Amino acid sequence: MGKTFTRPVALSEKDTHYCPGCTHGIVHRLVAEVIDELGIRGKTIGVAPVGCAVLAYNYFSFDFMEAAHGRAPAVATGIKRVRPDLMVFTYQGDGDLASIGTAEIIHAANRGEKITTIFINNAVYGMTGGQMAPTTMPGQKTTTTPFGRDVEQTGMPMKMAELLSALMTPAYITRQTVISPKYVIKAKKAIKKAFEYQCEGRCFSLVEVISTCPTNWGMTPVEALSWAETTLLPYYPLGEFKTPDSQGGNDAA
Amino acid sequence: MSYIFAIDCERCKGCGLCVNFCPKNVLEISDELNKKGYYPAFQARPGDCIYCGSCYMMCPDVAISITSGNIKRKLKK
């Protein structure tokens, strides 16, 4: 019996509201596949962010909780502390996690909460109409930086995975992408590893996924993938930045 | 051993990622609109398909499925 490819059970039958070519759908599928493979659908609670994935609870067939903007790690902390037997993950975008929710994610990681965070980094605020995010590239045009991001005024893009991996608390921090099939397979392995660390009750885990936003970047979906490869990947290197077995600090792999 | 390839054309948003990543150039974008108003992808050259699953990997809407031939094809609910 060869390998077949069908819709995972943990993904509901509802059509997504995402724009054509948005890689949110791919990451949703990966999360659902991992949950199916680990057989944890009945004891998983996801926490949805504010952002394009605000309606993520419609697309998964397990329990979901909606958090205020940026506060998903705080809500997940509460759920996990009350019910340590459940699997809790947050699904956040870059406007949510890297901007308004920076305090929550840093302190959740520093406390070593046994939760998993899926961090979608597409270098722009998607839902609100393409404003500059902390992760926007220098010179990138957005609706609030019509002449390109000026690093003199707004600083350089934030590298959240590196920033969080500098904390001394053990954690699993990795950066992946979904811009081609080979990276999708790697990203799925990373998400699975993150969930397994939580299953074992070992550490906080964060999987940053470099994604695309064809609509707000003003590109076709295929152009957006190549722009992500040529512009985002050199600045946001892929790899495992921290595993619970490594000793703090930035020992990027 | 045979496989059944299917695209749910009502789920497809016509982004073209599957067309771009098909190693055998099997897929194309249709000329006909679906109910949502998108031009869905379809298998223009099904004989060339090697069922590698690259299109499934990249489909953001999980509109593509590849099932083995001896399983009854899953009907849309």
Side-chain angles (χ1 to χ4, degrees), chain A residues 98-208:
Chain A
S99 180
I100 193 165
T102 324
E104 277 74 16
I105 190 67
I106 288 181
H107 286 283
N110 195 43
R111 290 192 306 268
E113 300 294 346
K114 311 290 184 287
I115 58 171
T116 300
T117 295
I118 312 291
F119 168 37
I120 307 297
N121 180 357
N122 59 8
V124 78
Y125 272 79
M127 182 182 73
T128 48
Q131 290 85 357
M132 190 197 91
T135 46
T136 297
M137 293 304 289
Q140 185 184 337
K141 284 182 183 172
T142 66
T143 51
T144 45
T145 55
F147 305 107
R149 180 176 180 164
D150 179 6
V151 293
E152 288 296 315
Q153 277 187 3
T154 57
M156 290 295 282
M158 281 172 85
K159 296 184 173 186
M160 286 309 289
E162 283 88 337
L163 202 149
L164 291 169
S165 61
L167 299 170
M168 295 308 287
T169 312
Y172 175 64
I173 312 279
T174 180
R175 184 185 285 123
Q176 304 293 333
T177 184
V178 287
I179 57 168
S180 76
K182 80 168 180 183
Y183 291 122
V184 172
I185 294 168
K186 283 185 180 174
K188 184 179 170 185
K189 279 184 185 161
I191 293 172
K192 193 167 186 181
K193 211 168 165 183
F195 275 94
E196 281 170 351
Y197 279 128
Q198 191 187 158
C199 275
E200 296 161 10
R202 287 190 71 184
C203 62
F204 171 82
S205 47
L206 179 132
V207 182
E208 177 172 344

Side-chain angles (χ1 to χ4, degrees), chain A residues 46-116:
Chain A
V47 183
V50 172
C52 283
V54 67
L55 299 173
Y57 47 77
N58 285 331
Y59 309 135
F60 291 106
S61 50
F62 48 80
D63 290 337
F64 241 85
M65 175 89 191
E66 179 61 54
H69 200 184
R71 274 61 178 169
V75 173
T77 298
I79 298 171
K80 187 72 181 179
R81 289 198 172 193
V82 173
R83 291 289 304 273
D85 55 314
L86 296 180
M87 296 287 296
V88 184
F89 79 93
T90 69
Y91 186 101
Q92 299 175 267
D94 51 350
D96 188 76
L97 184 140
S99 180
I100 193 165
T102 324
E104 277 74 16
I105 190 67
I106 288 181
H107 286 283
N110 195 43
R111 290 192 306 268
E113 300 294 346
K114 311 290 184 287
I115 58 171
T116 300

Side-chain angles (χ1 to χ4, degrees), chain B residues 37-54:
Chain B
Y38 293 118
Y39 292 101
F42 75 108
Q43 264 193 317
R45 288 166 287 278
D48 293 345
C49 183
I50 54 170
Y51 307 102
C52 64
S54 296

Side-chain angles (χ1 to χ4, degrees), chain A residues 5-9 11-14, chain B residues 11 56 61-63 74:
Chain A
F5 302 92
T6 47
R7 194 176 183 84
V9 181
L11 210 58
S12 74
E13 289 290 322
K14 202 168 172 14
Chain B
R11 216 185 262 287
Y56 171 86
D61 298 288
V62 205
K74 196 180 160 192

